[in-house]
Amino acid sequence: MSFNHRKIEEKWRNYWIDEKTFATKIDSEKQKFYALDMFPYPSGSGLHVGHPEGYTATDILSRMKRMQGYEVLHPIGWDAFGLPAEQYALDTGNDPAVFTEQNINTFRRQIQSLGFSYDWDREVNTTDPGYYKWTQWIFIKLYEKGLAYVDEVPVNWCPELGTVLANEEVIDGKSERGGHPVVRKPMKQWMLKITAYADRLLDDLEDLDWPESIKDMQRNWIGRSEGAEVEFTIDGHEDNFKVFTTRPDTLFGATYAVLAPEHPLVEKITKDEQKDSVQAYLDKVQSKSDLERTDLAKEKTGVFTGAYAVNPINGEKLPIWIADYVLMTYGSGAIMAVPAHDERDYEFAKQFNLEILPVLEGGDIENEAFTGDGKHINSGFLNGLNKEDGIEKALEWLEENNKGTRKTTYRLRDWLFSRQRYWGEPIPVIHWEDGTQTTVKEEELPIVLPKTTEIKPSGTGESPLANIHDWVNVTDPTTGLKGKRETNTMPQWAGSCWYFLRYIDPNNTNELASKEALNKWLPVDVYIGGAEHAVLHLLYARFWHKFLYDIGVVPTKEPFQKLFNQGMILGENNEKMSKSKGNVVNPDEIVESHGADTLRLYEMFMGPLDASVAWSTNGLDGARRFLDRIWRLFVTDENMLSEKIQEGNDNDDLVRIYHETIKKVTQNFEDLRFNTGISQMMVFINEAYKTDYVPKSYAEGFVKVLAPIAPHLAEELWSILGHDETISYQPWPAFDEKKLEVNEVEVVIQILGKVRAKMMVDKEATKEEIEEKALNVDAIKERLEGKTVRKVIVVPGKLVNIVAN
RNA sequence: GCGGGUGUGGCGGAAUUGGCAGACGCGCUAGACUUAGGAUCUAGUGUCUCUCGACGUGGGGGUUCAAGUCCCUCCACCCGCACCA
């Protein structure tokens, strides 16, 4: 008979919630373990089968660690501000708060139906004023330290969404959310100075137990490059300009210079006879959308200004060009072009017939730029040096002669932090009528988002909050000075930058979390979520955490010691699940038809946690079949303990496999290799079916290791085994290394690397004994007839390889 | 183009330090039980020959007594970045 998952799962789900089985004692004496899930954005479409994959992984670890005697913090919450709810509210005329609350209720119900061992008293919600009070507080601290500032910058304006977006939120010239077109537009915006932390964000990656691919993505995003800033004067002109280069050693090979179209000197230095063509070029560049600028057809374009720069190293005159392959936003917006040794400059020089002068030996500059290493030539005092020494000597020369300095630049830009939207944390700043601006006093926090029915973006770049006069207009009670509140709100990423801190002390009204609790519980021991947050969330959260570390709020430099990215669950047709493809699997239906335990088991057994694997209904059935097999082994049709489970000592047929199972499963779970751990559990059950009886102690040990994967079923089996209390805090079973040993081991006998026979030998047998025995095996003797044995290799306990011809 | 990764039966995937390739599951085949089976149990299942055996981890080459694992080379696919000087 198969077990009734609906009844069993409901029973234990209610038990855990009613008894608060998984409440964390935050000041416990036990060793701590903090297992964190990336908290979900509670979308209107509900939970997806992809969500439970990562959640099950952390849940297994949490349940195992509890049984191993740790105090476990395993919380969940809601990243509930953000564009989709607001867009939906706009489209349907609903209040985003109401809509969000409904979504959260759905998510909570769905997550609870899967039996995750969250501490439900620690739920956080980024849209709760009690929570975002502290998001605002952190903003004020950033402001006080000069890390939050207003700047007029060219921003990514998305007309469709009516808001600006951070660089990280723009993909191929379109908004990450919704895929709407994005254009460049100068606007006054709040910025966070993440660049001040660029070096630390880069260097501290070294000590983190994170996937190398994620670390690399962050390294590339930060994009530190070391080189020199070199000063160029302009022939017959007062002004000069700086260029950034990583190859100061190639300065002798510079044959022209390029300014970005937006460079402030462009207008000043352009000669009269070039004015028309330069203006025409600038017009053309400006009308290009971001999409066109990143277009794949990368033909170089540009125009000559008529002006000449002077190469500081040899006094040569270099024509100054304008071209959009030089970006105003990187370095100084100007470059020295060394076409012989830079691919982009080479292309440009070919296009416009500019001089190409090699300064490094090797390569064939007739056909392509040479970017490798070689001896310097045509380079005055650098001649004969290699790349590394050349760079060093050039840097020394530049500094001695006041022509340039060592300089490090970054690809990372400051974080654009304002959104012209309603559904976000209000930025706690007041602009006063005397032209000053201040942050709100801490005791006035939180600045609560006002209720309104008018949440439509104005489209002019002003937030809908600007129309709520009661809220916007303030008067200082002591001075009578009038002012207006900042009407921009924070981006969605703000709330998720620190939520893992709030879980530690979620109801604290005096501080974001108590110092003692933070000291005990940080860092997060394991953090599991999707790879889509590789740069956005994970970089921002690290930045805020480092800042909080600097002002003494948190005790660790990094928030997440170990990070793991779960893979994607694809549709049955091997494609990404999506409504339009009709291949979405709804977890509610699986819980109903197969049970939560089956879903958990199946998702963990599909393959390695980090792989993307297609959903398979047959595979799901197989997972259920395994649970049924366990049930039938333990329980009779009358729901009594099966006679096959017997009190008493070891069963010799089962003893080794039992201890091996405990060992492997424990190790595999620890390593997040759930698929192999489960396979070992299947091996045990297969063996248990073949033998006459299963000692009760083995049965109990097995149910304990099953509990993290299939907790409802395990609880039920545990009670059928005669226990009154939850299995959740029962000690994790131990294995006995001695029981794994065998007296005789099978050794394979190979001839020339091919397996020809097998034999049993004593575990303690010496190499000589094994060799002798192997040569006396009949099948081997036959094969060696007429051949000379040249060599015999013996690997004790494993194999014998005979080299004979 | 740059960076990271993957490639093993019909399918998902196993395989410490090089040491029996294909654990476990799905699917398939046969048998048992059964009024019945999309239930359950038992056995089998890499390919070719069905007897000995040969061949097999993307292709080719190499090191080694021994290679999925190490080295060289080529190919395919996935992810990220993309004129970042």
Side-chain angles (χ1 to χ4, degrees), chain A residues 186-374:
Chain A
M187 282 176 81
K188 266 196 162 172
Q189 299 292 326
W190 282 99
M191 308 289 289
L192 295 189
K193 214 177 212 159
I194 191 172
T195 52
Y197 283 77
D199 280 322
R200 287 163 64 190
L201 288 169
L202 187 65
D203 296 339
D204 291 348
L205 283 171
E206 296 306 320
D207 303 322
L208 295 177
D209 182 6
W210 285 24
E212 200 51 39
S213 61
I214 301 289
K215 288 197 199 179
D216 253 310
M217 279 156 87
Q218 295 216 345
R219 287 188 194 110
N220 292 338
W221 193 266
I222 295 165
R224 176 161 71 192
S225 64
E226 282 156 29
E229 198 168 60
V230 184
E231 213 167 291
F232 281 68
T233 53
I234 300 168
D235 192 37
H237 232 275
E238 296 274 291
D239 292 295
N240 51 21
F241 65 95
K242 288 174 176 165
V243 308
F244 174 72
T245 178
T246 55
R247 296 295 303 275
D249 61 312
T250 61
L251 203 42
F252 284 98
T255 54
Y256 63 101
V258 187
L259 303 182
E262 300 87 356
H263 198 285
L265 280 180
V266 167
E267 208 178 327
K268 274 184 158 177
I269 63 163
T270 300
K271 292 274 184 284
D272 288 342
E273 60 271 27
Q274 300 294 332
K275 279 253 152 54
D276 288 349
S277 50
V278 166
Q279 196 52 51
Y281 183 70
L282 294 182
D283 289 346
K284 201 176 99 191
V285 168
Q286 236 155 28
S287 69
K288 270 194 198 177
S289 70
D290 267 32
L291 253 180
E292 285 168 320
R293 260 182 118 158
T294 53
D295 210 11
L296 289 173
K298 273 178 192 155
E299 195 164 295
K300 295 274 185 291
T301 60
V303 63
F304 179 47
T305 60
Y308 289 84
V310 181
N311 188 337
I313 212 160
N314 58 9
E316 292 277 329
K317 283 189 190 172
L318 310 176
I320 301 176
W321 285 66
I322 299 164
D324 68 352
Y325 85 91
V326 173
L327 309 173
M328 193 59 222
T329 45
Y330 186 78
S332 53
I335 62 153
M336 64 175 203
V338 185
H341 306 292
D342 180 282
E343 282 161 24
R344 295 151 300 179
D345 297 344
Y346 185 87
E347 253 179 69
F348 190 80
K350 281 282 181 191
Q351 182 90 19
F352 294 101
N353 277 317
L354 295 161
E355 189 192 355
I356 300 174
L357 172 69
V359 289
L360 287 166
E361 252 176 23
D364 172 18
I365 62 152
E366 289 303 309
N367 294 313
E368 56 180 0
F370 173 63
T371 54
D373 200 353

Side-chain angles (χ1 to χ4, degrees), chain A residues 421-617:
Chain A
R421 299 297 297 231
Y422 168 75
W423 192 232
E425 301 89 343
I427 292 175
V429 168
I430 299 170
H431 305 277
W432 299 103
E433 59 186 346
D434 64 1
T436 61
Q437 89 191 0
T438 61
T439 52
V440 170
K441 292 191 193 77
E442 279 182 36
E443 55 271 25
E444 286 173 26
L445 294 178
I447 301 303
V448 177
L449 191 61
K451 281 248 170 236
T452 176
T453 49
E454 273 309 310
I455 59 166
K456 207 175 155 83
S458 61
T460 59
E462 264 214 303
S463 152
L465 291 177
N467 301 323
I468 307 173
H469 302 291
D470 296 355
W471 183 84
V472 167
N473 294 306
V474 290
T475 308
D476 188 309
T478 46
T479 63
L481 199 66
K482 289 198 169 92
K484 281 181 185 297
R485 290 192 191 281
E486 170 66 51
T487 58
N488 284 327
T489 53
M490 299 187 197
Q492 193 187 347
W493 311 105
S496 58
C497 278
W498 69 283
Y499 72 108
F500 50 92
L501 302 177
R502 191 62 177 172
Y503 284 139
I504 292 171
D505 194 6
N507 300 312
N508 196 323
T509 50
N510 299 318
E511 42 194 345
L512 64 82
S514 92
K515 191 103 185 146
E516 304 80 67
L518 290 172
N519 283 341
K520 176 174 167 86
W521 285 91
L522 288 174
V524 170
D525 294 285
V526 63
Y527 191 24
I528 298 185
E532 65 272 20
H533 295 113
V535 281
L536 289 156
H537 161 60
L538 288 170
L539 197 63
Y540 295 152
R542 291 181 63 221
F543 162 44
W544 279 34
H545 197 85
K546 285 185 182 301
F547 169 70
L548 292 173
Y549 173 78
D550 287 349
I551 63 169
V553 174
V554 297
T556 60
K557 289 181 184 173
E558 286 286 337
F560 316 119
Q561 189 49 41
K562 181 184 170 94
L563 173 76
F564 196 90
N565 293 122
Q566 91 262 14
M568 233 185 312
I569 295 181
L570 306 171
E572 205 139 16
N573 57 355
N574 239 307
E575 289 181 85
K576 210 170 154 171
M577 283 192 190
S578 75
K579 271 187 219 147
S580 58
K581 283 179 191 137
N583 60 353
V584 176
V585 179
N586 180 347
D588 281 346
E589 287 169 17
I590 306 300
V591 169
E592 179 63 18
S593 63
H594 290 71
D597 286 337
T598 302
L599 180 61
R600 295 167 60 114
L601 172 71
Y602 172 59
E603 293 205 4
M604 293 301 98
F605 187 61
M606 287 175 94
L609 189 60
D610 58 357
S612 292
V613 181
W615 182 265
S616 152
T617 305

Side-chain angles (χ1 to χ4, degrees), chain A residues 14-50:
Chain A
N14 291 336
Y15 175 92
W16 296 326
I17 291 171
D18 295 346
E19 301 290 321
K20 294 191 188 295
T21 304
F22 304 114
T24 305
K25 295 182 192 68
I26 216 74
D27 49 3
S28 161
E29 294 293 310
K30 294 180 187 173
Q31 205 181 336
K32 68 98 181 178
F33 185 79
Y34 189 173
L36 182 67
D37 291 304
M38 287 187 185
F39 68 164
Y41 175 80
S43 74
S45 44
L47 210 66
H48 180 270
V49 285

